[in-house]
Amino acid sequence: MSQVYVLHENPDWFPPFAAAFDAERVPYTEWLLDGDGALDLDTEPPPGVFWSRMSASAHTRGHPGAKDHTRAVLRWLEAGGRRVVGGSGVLELEMSKVAQLAALRAAGLDTPRTVAVAGRAALAARARRLPAPFVAKHNQGGKGLGVHRFDSHEAFDRYVAGPDFDEPADGVTLLQEYVEPAEPFVTRVEIVGGRFLYALAASTEHGFELCPADACAADAACPADGPASLFELRKDYRPPLLDAYLDFAARHGIEVAGFEYIETADGRLVTYDVNTNTNYNPAVEAQSDRSGPTEIARYLGALLER
């Protein structure tokens, strides 16, 4: 039977989507790609629609091979002519902030000044190309992994040379200008199926680990006061960059995503992340008249019917 196949590696994040598929009567199967399995290239992929929501943070849950496992499966599906949402090109954007920033800049969007450094040896010297304060983060991120603000180059020198240095999964560290927000929050613009879902504000007062899902709170990705306190719907808000984001998504084949930007103290709109593995915060969902998981289930269900 033709159905929706959901490709992912973290069952803890799946319940809201399972509930939405069930409510919309969309047949689905979870396909766990955790880096352990086999793929027979002489077989044809099953009929259906395939939605990849592989996470850049899979390695933090003991699945370092998940992204390459997913790369192989997506190439097989695409070669077999299957309809894939979040295909191989989208996966590469998800796994690399360098790829995201390069694409955003090519589209004319304002992004943070960034230096990408492979390895550890050159980090201290390269950081001096940026004035303090500045930010270090992982190229392969997710959940705000490896994001630290440094108020001096000397503090960064000690961090790089010390035992607490946070090694990136792909060996690439990004050094970025610190962008001062006008208010202590960032905005996330959610898009499903080429349409604007809603925008939410995510507080930065407790740091940069801003995964909105309940599962993040369960694995300590959010502060102890809980994810609901960090996120709020920007009701009746139309983001000024919305048309640019919709165009960017269409150009890159992105059908489900959250774009994150900062409204700066000096009047810039700085886009710093494209999250193609978006999760939805239950507090924000309760404030909105539209639900992310529901809209995704409806969108995939419509693709399946076609």
Side-chain angles (χ1 to χ4, degrees), residues 269-280:
L269 298 175
V270 179
T271 305
Y272 65 91
D273 190 33
V274 183
N275 190 322
T276 66
N277 182 45
T278 195
N279 284 288
Y280 301 97

Side-chain angles (χ1 to χ4, degrees), residues 208-233:
F208 299 98
E209 293 190 349
L210 298 174
C211 168
D214 269 346
C216 288
D219 66 12
C222 297
D225 60 350
S229 64
L230 296 179
F231 303 95
E232 183 177 356
L233 179 72

